[in-house]
Amino acid sequence: MAKLGKRTRTAREAFAGKEDVTVEEAVALIKSSASAKFDETVEIAMNLGVDTRHADQMVRGVIGLPNGTGKTMRVAVFARGPKAEEAQAAGADIVGAEDLMETIQGGTIEFDRCIATPDMMPIVGRLGKILGPRNLMPNPKVGTVTMDVAQAVKDAKGGQVQFRAEKGGVVHAGVGKASFDEAQLVENIRAFVSAVAKAKPTGAKGTYMKKISLSSTMGPGVTVDVANAASAE
C-alpha cells in the first residue's frame, strides 16, 4: 500500500469522524485542507434515487451560480453569417460550421461548452458520438441550441453550470474555487442543490436526494446533511 504524504494524512485526520455536517462546516473543512499549489476546485457529488436508463428518470438542467465558478470557460459556437459574428463579438473562443466539425472529428476539442444555432444541428448531429459522452452536445433544454448565441456565450462565460445524472444516478459539478469566501461557496452550493431539486423527474420514486458529498480537487470528501443542503436558510 502506498504511503500517504503528510498533506494527505493531515487532511484525512481533519475529516475523520465528520459525516453529514452542515454546508458551512463542510466548506470550512475543505478550505482549511486545500493546500495544493494551484487554486483547487470545490466539487459536489450528489447521489440521486433515479435510474437513468429510463427516460422519465433522467435529471438534466442548468444553473447560473451566484458567484460564478472561478473557471475560465472556453466556448465553441456552430453558426454562420451574422450569428457567427454575434458569437465572436460576445467572446466565443471558437466559431465555425463544417470547418469546426472537421476539427472535432480530427480529435481536437479545445472547448468546455458547445453552442449551436438550430440550423447548424444537422452538422452538429454528426458529432453525437464524440460530443455526447463528454456532455458537450448542444441541447435546447439547457439553452445551448438557440438563436440568441450572444446571450448563450455570455451565460457560459459568466459561471453557468450544466448538470446531468450519470450512470448510477450521480450528478457531479464544480461549484467554485477554494479561494472563494466561505459565504460565496455556501451560496453556490445551495443554489446548485436547489437546481437539482427542481429538476426532479416525474419518474423518480422513493428518496430523491440520497447523499451529497463535497471535496476539493486534491482533498478528501465529506458528506453533507441533505436536509441542510436543501435548506434556503
Side-chain angles (χ1 to χ4, degrees):
M1 185 175 178
K3 186 177 180 181
L4 297 176
K6 182 179 179 181
R7 186 179 65 82
T8 303
R9 286 201 313 273
T10 301
R12 289 193 176 181
E13 287 168 5
F15 280 59
K18 304 288 179 65
E19 294 181 359
D20 294 334
V21 299
T22 66
V23 174
E24 288 81 2
E25 289 172 322
V27 166
L29 272 171
I30 289 166
K31 280 181 63 67
S32 66
S33 66
S35 56
K37 293 181 180 179
F38 61 93
D39 193 4
E40 297 181 53
T41 296
V42 175
E43 301 172 354
I44 186 170
M46 301 178 65
N47 294 68
L48 306 178
V50 296
D51 185 345
T52 55
R53 292 175 298 178
H54 302 287
D56 66 346
Q57 293 189 47
M58 189 59 190
V59 178
R60 185 169 195 160
V62 63
I63 171 70
L65 295 179
N67 303 295
T69 63
K71 178 182 178 181
T72 300
M73 184 71 70
R74 300 170 300 171
V75 180
V77 178
F78 279 91
R80 287 195 182 99
K83 288 298 173 184
E85 294 172 6
E86 279 182 34
Q88 288 175 328
D93 299 275
I94 307 167
V95 181
E98 286 86 357
D99 55 333
L100 179 53
M101 177 189 72
E102 291 170 3
T103 298
I104 295 169
Q105 287 177 327
T108 301
I109 301 176
E110 297 179 334
F111 53 86
D112 309 296
R113 179 73 56 84
C114 188
I115 296 163
T117 54
D119 58 299
M120 289 284 101
M121 288 312 291
I123 293 174
V124 180
R126 301 179 205 172
L127 301 169
K129 291 183 179 179
I130 300 173
L131 298 180
R134 294 174 172 82
N135 200 23
L136 290 172
M137 192 69 179
N139 189 311
K141 292 182 179 179
V142 293
T144 48
V145 176
T146 176
M147 288 301 288
D148 193 353
V149 291
Q151 187 60 51
V153 170
K154 290 174 184 175
D155 287 343
K157 292 279 189 178
Q160 190 183 70
V161 174
Q162 293 182 6
F163 59 86
R164 182 178 70 177
E166 302 165 1
K167 187 176 180 181
V170 177
V171 169
H172 181 270
V175 289
K177 293 289 185 177
S179 60
F180 282 21
D181 292 341
E182 289 186 17
Q184 290 178 314
L185 286 169
V186 170
E187 188 177 15
N188 276 4
I189 291 163
R190 291 197 190 283
F192 186 85
V193 172
S194 176
V196 175
K198 290 175 182 175
K200 181 179 179 179
T202 55
K205 296 178 176 64
T207 302
Y208 177 51
M209 291 189 186
K210 291 186 171 183
K211 181 180 178 182
I212 300 176
S213 299
L214 294 171
S215 66
S216 62
T217 306
M218 303 296 289
V222 58
T223 56
V224 176
D225 179 76
V226 174
N228 178 268
S231 170
E233 297 178 6

